[in-house]
């Protein structure tokens, strides 16, 4: 076990490639849909970062962050979190918390002031526990479901 997490010494969070996030996104966020739906606009931009949570050499969670401000509150110091996904058999073990902590630390070090996301309604309590707050009203993303915009100041 290391000092930073309650996991084995073989648990760590690191930057990953855009190709590495696709299988986890598909298994969690787009199950039953074509793999093509797992590719997001901006995935291959030089300003986009993809992060992965690894345990015993297996990629078990992913998240991506894009240099994009909120559409109605533009700021060059904001990033959008997208594609947060933890494999089902690893959910509920604080992996998402550790993954976001690593990602947020890197964003803060790069000068980002705020991170925002469109969180699935079912995930709102998870993000609230990590300091994100809802902004506006619940809205529907077609073929995905109800969401809330959430924001965290770093």
């Amino acid at each position: 076990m290391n000092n930073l997490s309650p996991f084995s010494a073989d648990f760590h969070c690191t930057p990953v490639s855009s190709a590495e996030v696709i299988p986890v996104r598909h298994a969690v966020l787009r199950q039953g849909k074509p793999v093509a739906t797992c590719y997001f606009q901006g995935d291959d931009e030089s300003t986009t970062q993809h992060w992965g949570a690894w345990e015993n050499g297996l990629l078990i969670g992913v998240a991506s962050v894009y240099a994009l401000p909120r559409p109605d509150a533009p700021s060059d110091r904001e990033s959008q979190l997208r594609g947060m996904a933890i494999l089902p058999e690893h959910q509920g073990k604080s992996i998402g918390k550790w993954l976001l902590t690593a990602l947020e630390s890197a964003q803060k070090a790069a000068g980002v002031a705020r991170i925002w996301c469109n969180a699935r309604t079912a995930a709102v309590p998870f993000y609230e526990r990590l300091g994100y707050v809802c902004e506006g009203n619940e809205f529907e993303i077609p073929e995905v479901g109800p969401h809330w915009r959430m924001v965290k100041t770093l």
Side-chain angles (χ1 to χ4, degrees):
M1 190 177 288
N2 62 40
N3 306 359
L4 302 176
S5 77
F7 303 102
S8 70
D10 290 330
F11 176 85
H12 58 282
C13 296
T14 63
V16 297
S17 71
S18 60
E20 288 174 295
V21 302
I22 299 304
V24 179
R25 282 182 186 169
H26 191 246
V28 179
L29 302 175
R30 301 291 192 267
Q31 189 175 29
K33 295 185 176 166
V35 172
T37 65
C38 299
Y39 293 89
F40 299 161
Q41 183 176 350
D43 272 348
D44 293 321
E45 295 291 328
S46 62
T47 55
T48 298
Q49 291 185 357
H50 303 283
W51 283 80
W54 300 85
E55 189 166 39
N56 300 321
L58 176 67
L59 185 61
I60 59 174
V62 298
S64 301
V65 66
Y66 305 79
L68 291 171
R70 289 170 289 166
D72 54 351
S75 165
D76 60 356
R77 296 186 59 219
E78 288 190 348
S79 291
Q80 181 185 17
L81 173 68
R82 288 191 72 192
M84 177 81 183
I86 307 299
L87 291 175
E89 61 272 24
H90 296 280
Q91 292 177 5
K93 300 178 183 177
S94 297
I95 293 162
K97 172 187 169 184
W98 291 102
L99 181 58
L100 274 184
T101 298
L103 180 151
E104 289 170 357
S105 292
Q107 288 291 292
K108 187 173 183 177
V112 172
R114 275 173 302 287
I115 293 182
W116 67 280
C117 65
N118 292 326
R120 292 174 187 242
T121 298
V124 166
F126 165 79
Y127 287 106
E128 286 177 331
R129 286 191 299 275
L130 297 176
Y132 288 75
V133 295
C134 287
E135 187 176 82
N137 298 310
E138 185 179 52
F139 60 95
E140 186 82 16
I141 295 180
E143 298 186 38
V144 179
H147 283 68
W148 284 86
R149 179 177 299 160
M150 300 193 79
V151 179
K152 180 177 183 178
T153 299
L154 301 177

